[in-house]
Amino acid sequence: MRVRGLMLLFALSATVVGGLFMTGVLMLGMGLKMNSLRDDVPISAFGYKDISPLEIPDYHYHAETSYLSHKLEKKQKRRKDMVAKVCHENGIRTTTRIRPDLLQYIYVNDQHKMLYCAIPKVACTNWKRVLFLLSGKSNITNALDLSANFVHSNANYSQYVRTLNSFSEEDIEMRLATYVKFFFVRNPLERILSAYRNKFAARYSTYFQERFGRKIIKRYRKNPSTESLTHGHDVTFAEFVRYLLDPRTSKESQLNMHWLHYYKICHPCLIKYDIIGKYETLFPDSQYVLEKVGADHLVSFPSKLSYPGPRTSSLLAAAYSKIAPEDIHKLWEMYAVDFAMFGYGYPDFTEKKTAHKIIHKG
């Protein structure tokens, strides 16, 4: 009897130990997935050394368990609480009522009850592609088959996806009250550099060079050439920064939306958004949006960059090294609300070993 009892006890112990081992393996697996949700874990930690998440082919995020979904919910709550805190502490409320003219950048998808506020230079091209596919008004099934020119052409794109300001006041109120509302942000200084690269350094369009470039060169360059004054094609990043910081710029007209403040485009102090995505966690946040509206089985967020060439984040240190520290500080002051509202710390470009160092909170 004593021998049988010992054998039974041994078998039971082995079962428990085996179960604990399997539980440990499962928890380790979940731990790896949990790390992928953190904003501060580098992509290199998951086997993608020195590769932006925007360049990882066939990358898809799946919230496979309610636990992971809960972590995303907590992250969103932190982001929304931060927005509410900054709005309250700074008394930011653009108006007491939501006027239609404030809603011109919010795109509507009635099929999945989505409202997307498009901020330029924060993956808005790909999000507008996704909304086009979800409209169900075309046979196109691959988002990347849609050109950037098409989705940014209001005359063509508006036939498929309407903006919120095009609805009646009653319909606007209904959609704001019942639809999933979201937008994406990125580090403000990185966005400024991205806007410069896309609108002044690129050669695919001359609109910004002629509209803004000629004025910038005339105003800030000593002894400009006739060619530069005529075409505005060779604006430097330092000249663009001087243009942004010049008090005359904002007095002459509202800033162009490609460098306008986030809170002035999407009005998060007035509209209570359900999801705030970040460029730093673009793919998991985008998948989260699609799952929330029940469209994750219909479309995947594009896994390729719309803009060719090196990533803007890899050029930050070199670009801002040519900008005086006092001007970087002035840029921070200019966009201080966006920095605080969305958890970006004071910029620091002093470390030469990294592309940039900016404190980033969830």
Side-chain angles (χ1 to χ4, degrees):
M1 289 294 293
R2 182 174 298 178
V3 172
R4 287 184 179 179
L6 289 173
M7 291 178 66
L8 180 61
L9 181 60
F10 177 80
L12 181 61
S13 299
T15 301
V16 171
V17 170
L20 289 173
F21 175 77
M22 290 304 298
T23 301
V25 171
L26 289 174
M27 290 181 69
L28 177 60
M30 288 186 68
L32 289 176
K33 286 184 177 293
M34 284 304 304
N35 281 340
S36 68
L37 299 178
R38 293 171 50 199
D39 291 345
D40 58 346
V41 175
I43 290 297
S44 58
F46 304 102
Y48 298 106
K49 186 176 181 181
D50 297 327
I51 298 178
S52 162
L54 297 181
E55 296 172 316
I56 299 171
D58 301 321
Y59 174 84
H60 300 285
Y61 172 83
H62 298 282
E64 297 171 343
T65 69
S66 59
Y67 184 64
L68 294 177
S69 180
H70 177 64
K71 291 294 292 184
L72 284 170
E73 295 284 355
K74 288 180 65 177
K75 177 181 288 187
Q76 284 300 320
K77 185 178 185 304
R78 287 198 305 270
R79 292 176 181 177
K80 291 185 284 187
D81 287 348
M82 177 65 74
V83 168
K85 181 175 183 288
V86 174
C87 290
H88 175 72
E89 291 180 350
N90 292 275
I92 303 172
R93 191 174 177 84
T94 52
T95 179
T96 56
R97 60 184 291 268
I98 302 177
R99 305 190 314 269
D101 62 287
L102 299 178
L103 310 173
Q104 60 181 314
Y105 303 124
I106 299 180
Y107 292 85
V108 180
N109 179 273
D110 286 324
Q111 292 87 338
H112 298 279
K113 297 186 176 181
M114 304 167 66
L115 294 180
Y116 165 58
C117 182
I119 295 179
K121 309 315 302 169
V122 192
C124 72
T125 300
N126 279 342
W127 262 114
K128 291 177 76 173
R129 286 168 168 154
V130 168
L131 290 182
F132 177 91
L133 295 187
L134 291 176
S135 72
K137 297 178 181 179
S138 170
N139 294 326
I140 296 177
T141 57
N142 184 355
L144 294 176
D145 287 341
L146 296 165
S147 71
N149 287 337
F150 172 79
V151 298
H152 293 306
S153 170
N154 290 330
N156 295 321
Y157 188 74
S158 61
Q159 298 178 37
Y160 301 88
V161 182
R162 294 172 62 181
T163 51
L164 190 56
N165 65 329
S166 67
F167 291 85
S168 68
E169 190 168 326
E170 181 180 356
D171 287 340
I172 289 174
E173 292 178 358
M174 181 275 290
R175 285 167 173 79
L176 284 172
T178 60
Y179 283 23
V180 173
K181 302 171 288 295
F182 69 100
F183 65 99
F184 279 72
V185 297
R186 74 193 293 185
N187 176 271
L189 295 194
E190 185 175 318
R191 177 176 176 248
I192 289 171
L193 179 56
S194 179
Y196 166 77
R197 294 181 68 202
N198 183 239
K199 302 305 177 186
F200 296 99
R203 293 289 182 263
Y204 72 92
S205 172
T206 61
Y207 174 80
F208 278 81
Q209 296 165 2
E210 294 174 354
R211 173 77 185 275
F212 300 98
R214 292 187 293 194
K215 178 191 293 186
I216 291 173
I217 290 171
K218 181 179 180 180
R219 183 171 289 179
Y220 307 111
R221 186 176 299 180
K222 293 181 179 180
N223 304 316
S225 68
T226 301
E227 183 181 14
S228 295
L229 289 171
T230 302
H231 302 289
H233 63 295
D234 56 353
V235 172
T236 67
F237 183 56
E239 290 170 336
F240 178 56
V241 168
R242 288 188 65 187
Y243 167 75
L244 291 178
L245 295 176
D246 192 330
R248 292 173 291 181
T249 299
S250 57
K251 289 180 180 179
E252 291 169 351
S253 63
Q254 178 175 276
L255 294 178
N256 182 271
M257 66 179 298
H258 288 82
W259 43 87
L260 182 63
H261 308 74
Y262 299 145
Y263 78 97
K264 293 183 179 180
I265 294 176
C266 293
H267 307 285
C269 295
L270 185 63
I271 299 171
K272 190 174 182 180
Y273 285 88
D274 302 289
I275 301 172
I276 300 172
K278 289 191 173 182
Y279 198 74
E280 294 80 5
T281 51
L282 177 61
F283 285 102
D285 289 351
S286 296
Q287 183 66 20
Y288 180 69
V289 171
L290 293 174
E291 289 176 355
K292 273 293 184 181
V293 300
D296 54 305
H297 65 292
L298 298 173
V299 64
S300 296
F301 190 80
S303 59
K304 292 183 179 180
L305 285 165
S306 297
Y307 187 77
R311 289 172 286 130
T312 298
S313 60
S314 69
L315 304 175
L316 274 177
Y320 281 98
S321 68
K322 300 174 184 177
I323 306 300
E326 55 267 30
D327 285 340
I328 293 177
H329 180 76
K330 289 176 183 177
L331 281 174
W332 174 77
E333 289 182 323
M334 179 177 178
Y335 292 95
V337 171
D338 285 344
F339 271 95
M341 190 173 283
F342 302 109
Y344 295 102
Y346 190 84
D348 179 6
F349 300 104
T350 59
E351 294 191 10
K352 297 181 180 180
K353 293 183 180 180
T354 57
H356 67 290
K357 177 185 177 183
I358 294 176
I359 299 172
H360 175 215
K361 300 178 180 178

